[in-house]
């Protein structure tokens, strides 16, 4: 037997493995929905929710206790409604910056190389000097050799950096730092 803040005796509920997994999944979905909420408050809310579910599960059953919380996104929305203004979404900005600022230019670079080698092959083979964003590259496609030689340059790095900054700013909604508008 344990006691709550109201000093009413309750029995400690010990969830089974399946229930712990369901609760962990629900909490993970809630954490994702609460990613922009102030971290310290979010951790406190998460602890309180876990304790409330286990307390309710002792009285009404685990399924009913979890169902009583509702969907994680909806519950998170009620907490966000209490904030004075919306916050930037740093994790979203970082993911978008990685996708658009690093992976996209990398994919474009590789696709350009493969296209250049394919074009050289279709023209009968040989060696061609080209450049991509000001970076020189030498492509060779013969019966014996398929190669590409390039040097590092600032053009692709500057493009990638600019794309990272823009994608991060848009993805994180950084303007929320300065105003109350969404």
């Amino acid at each position: 037997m344990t006691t709550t803040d109201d000093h009413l005796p309750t029995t400690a509920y010990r969830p089974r493995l399946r229930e712990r997994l369901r609760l962990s999944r629900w909490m993970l979905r809630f954490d994702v929905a609460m990613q922009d909420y102030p971290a310290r408050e979010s951790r406190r809310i998460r602890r309180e929710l876990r304790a409330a579910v286990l307390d309710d599960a002792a009285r009404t059953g685990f399924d009913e206790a979890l169902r009583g919380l509702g969907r994680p996104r909806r519950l998170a929305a009620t907490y966000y409604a209490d904030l004075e203004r919306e916050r930037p979404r740093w994790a979203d900005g970082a993911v978008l910056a990685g996708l658009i600022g690093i992976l996209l230019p990398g994919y474009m670079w590789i696709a350009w190389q493969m296209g250049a080698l394919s074009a050289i092959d279709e023209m009968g083979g040989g060696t061609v000097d080209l450049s991509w964003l000001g970076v020189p590259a030498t492509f060779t496609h013969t019966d014996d050799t398929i190669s590409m030689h390039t040097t590092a340059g600032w053009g692709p790095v500057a493009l990638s950096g600019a794309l990272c900054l823009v994608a991060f700013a848009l993805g994180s909604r950084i303007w929320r730092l300065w105003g109350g508008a969404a």
Side-chain angles (χ1 to χ4, degrees), residues 24-126:
S24 293
R25 182 173 176 260
W26 192 95
M27 294 303 283
L28 177 64
R29 290 173 50 210
F30 183 73
D31 286 343
V32 169
M34 292 286 284
Q35 72 174 332
D36 304 329
Y37 207 79
R40 183 175 291 143
E41 285 296 307
S42 179
R43 284 190 300 271
R44 181 190 57 77
I45 291 167
R46 194 172 70 234
R47 281 191 307 270
E48 289 174 1
L49 283 175
R50 183 177 295 275
V53 166
L54 295 177
D55 187 47
D56 288 349
R59 287 183 281 117
T60 63
F62 183 81
D63 290 336
E64 187 60 35
L66 199 57
R67 193 175 10 259
L69 288 178
R71 295 180 178 237
R73 280 188 158 314
R74 285 190 183 158
L75 184 59
T78 62
Y79 284 106
Y80 279 111
D82 293 339
L83 288 178
E84 57 195 48
R85 65 181 172 93
E86 290 185 304
R87 298 177 154 304
R89 301 180 65 107
W90 303 119
D92 288 355
V95 168
L96 201 59
L99 289 173
I100 292 179
I102 297 171
L103 291 181
L104 181 64
Y107 172 78
M108 290 170 47
W109 171 243
I110 291 170
W112 180 76
Q113 291 175 6
M114 300 307 288
L117 287 171
S118 179
I120 294 168
D121 182 43
E122 291 296 321
M123 293 187 311

